[in-house]
Amino acid sequence: MTGFPDYPFASRWFAHPRRDGLRQHYLDEGAGQPVLFLHGNPSWSYLWRRPILALREEFRCIAPDHMGMGLSDKPGADRYPYDLAARVDDLDALIEHLVTAGGAPEHGWTLVLHDWGGPIGMTWACRHPGRVARLVLLNTAAFPNPHGERVRPLLRLPFRVLRDTRLGTRLFLRHNLFARGATWRPLGVRRRMPAAVRSAFLAPYDRPAHRVAIQRFVQDIPLRPGDPSWPVLHGTGTSLAQFADRPMLIAWGLSDPVFDRAVLGEWQRRFPAARTRLYPGAGHYLLEDAHADLVPAIRSFLRTPPGA
């Protein structure tokens, strides 16, 4: 797949030796201090095209596609565990490869996190806190749901259908409803996506076998202690305070139906010194709705000396 709008990047792949050689796709653009972009579900590294184009002349921009997502290999559930711990292990292996064989520095990493990129990136950060220099948080979380064990009432029924029923499996795999819905107004964006951009977001998920990761991400959402990924998420949430001294930018699309003001408020409670930019007219894909202001804001934040 080629020819995605505003995505003029060279594809790279890392074959994971502990995953029977499964290949993870990633971008590695520019030089300088490393900036790691981690997407969520159901997006891929295409989400980061504008920040990378704006930053690659000053920074080394690295943006992986999680296994089963984007241009990475798409194994069946019998070949890959599709849980939070596996995602963090994959990220750890990729970064170790970049440090030991790819010339990337061991320290000074900026993490830019969206959606599932938050739990994945912050769990990795808790393993290697000395490597993390800055944090940019975009409609994400890295702690248990501030609403408690229950999904918000508005989302409870569709969430249960998607996650726990045969109809949900049909909607995920046959109809690609979750990925399609994320590109629609008002579910994922507030401004209509151009047709070519919407096609690019959906292109990696062109057949049922390529949509397994989308479903498994939703099924892996940890809401209560009995859920498989709960121990990882809970442990990360209790360890976040160690990053209170790092420069942090929180940018938030206030029209996100999932990562709402309660999630934003939890970040602000934990990190009261963080800079915050709010976008009332932006949805979950705030880089689509608010890129004209947000991309320069990220660039300005990365240029600011720590402590300034």
Side-chain angles (χ1 to χ4, degrees):
M1 289 178 285
T2 58
F4 304 120
D6 301 317
Y7 191 83
F9 308 124
S11 289
R12 304 171 187 267
W13 281 269
F14 172 59
H16 284 270
R18 295 186 180 182
R19 304 284 185 208
D20 296 326
L22 288 173
R23 300 191 313 159
Q24 184 170 18
H25 175 264
Y26 66 100
L27 304 178
D28 189 348
E29 295 280 323
Q33 290 297 304
V35 181
L36 176 67
F37 297 89
L38 295 180
H39 71 84
N41 184 37
S43 59
W44 56 290
S45 56
Y46 185 71
L47 178 75
W48 305 116
R49 64 198 184 280
R50 292 186 177 102
I52 292 174
L53 288 172
L55 295 172
R56 63 180 178 175
E57 292 188 2
E58 300 176 63
F59 301 93
R60 182 170 178 177
C61 299
I62 297 164
D65 291 337
H66 304 307
M67 197 65 70
M69 309 293 287
L71 305 185
S72 292
D73 285 349
K74 297 177 176 61
D78 58 334
R79 293 191 62 201
Y80 186 76
Y82 285 111
D83 57 24
L84 177 56
R87 302 295 189 186
V88 180
D89 288 343
D90 290 349
L91 178 62
D92 213 359
L94 174 61
I95 292 180
E96 286 303 315
H97 166 73
L98 293 172
V99 169
T100 59
E106 187 171 356
H107 305 287
W109 288 71
T110 294
L111 307 188
V112 185
L113 311 175
H114 180 251
D115 191 86
W116 267 99
I120 296 167
M122 292 311 301
T123 301
W124 176 84
C126 289
R127 291 186 184 181
H128 308 281
R131 291 187 171 183
V132 178
R134 301 173 187 265
L135 293 165
V136 179
L137 308 172
L138 313 176
N139 288 65
T140 187
F143 38 73
N145 183 6
H147 293 283
E149 294 185 9
R150 305 187 72 181
V151 178
R152 296 171 60 203
L154 181 65
L155 303 173
R156 192 173 298 154
L157 180 59
F159 179 79
R160 286 178 177 174
V161 170
L162 287 172
R163 183 161 122 151
D164 301 328
T165 70
R166 294 176 66 180
L167 173 60
T169 296
R170 183 185 183 95
L171 293 173
F172 270 115
L173 301 185
R174 178 173 293 188
H175 299 291
N176 202 23
L177 181 66
F178 194 78
R180 291 180 184 276
T183 66
W184 293 340
R185 295 187 303 175
L187 297 178
V189 291
R190 299 294 292 182
R191 299 182 180 183
R192 186 181 301 276
M193 273 191 186
V197 171
R198 184 169 184 266
S199 295
F201 271 107
L202 298 175
Y205 313 117
D206 57 347
R207 66 194 73 172
H210 289 176
R211 301 165 185 165
V212 173
I214 297 174
Q215 181 185 31
R216 294 302 294 266
F217 258 126
V218 173
Q219 292 174 334
D220 193 44
I221 296 172
L223 293 175
R224 55 188 62 87
D227 292 336
S229 290
W230 175 271
V232 179
L233 181 66
H234 184 266
T236 297
T238 60
S239 302
L240 292 178
Q242 64 186 304
F243 300 103
D245 62 338
R246 314 302 159 85
M248 183 180 300
L249 173 64
I250 301 172
W252 214 264
L254 292 176
S255 295
D256 190 328
V258 176
F259 293 92
D260 60 4
R261 287 180 180 269
V263 183
L264 168 63
E266 182 64 15
W267 282 116
Q268 293 175 317
R269 182 186 70 81
R270 290 168 179 258
F271 300 101
R275 305 183 193 181
T276 302
R277 297 182 76 88
L278 304 180
Y279 296 94
H284 183 61
Y285 283 171
L286 71 164
L287 273 166
E288 299 305 309
D289 286 332
H291 60 87
D293 181 86
L294 179 54
V295 172
I298 294 174
R299 181 172 55 200
S300 176
F301 173 72
L302 295 183
R303 287 173 171 173
T304 303

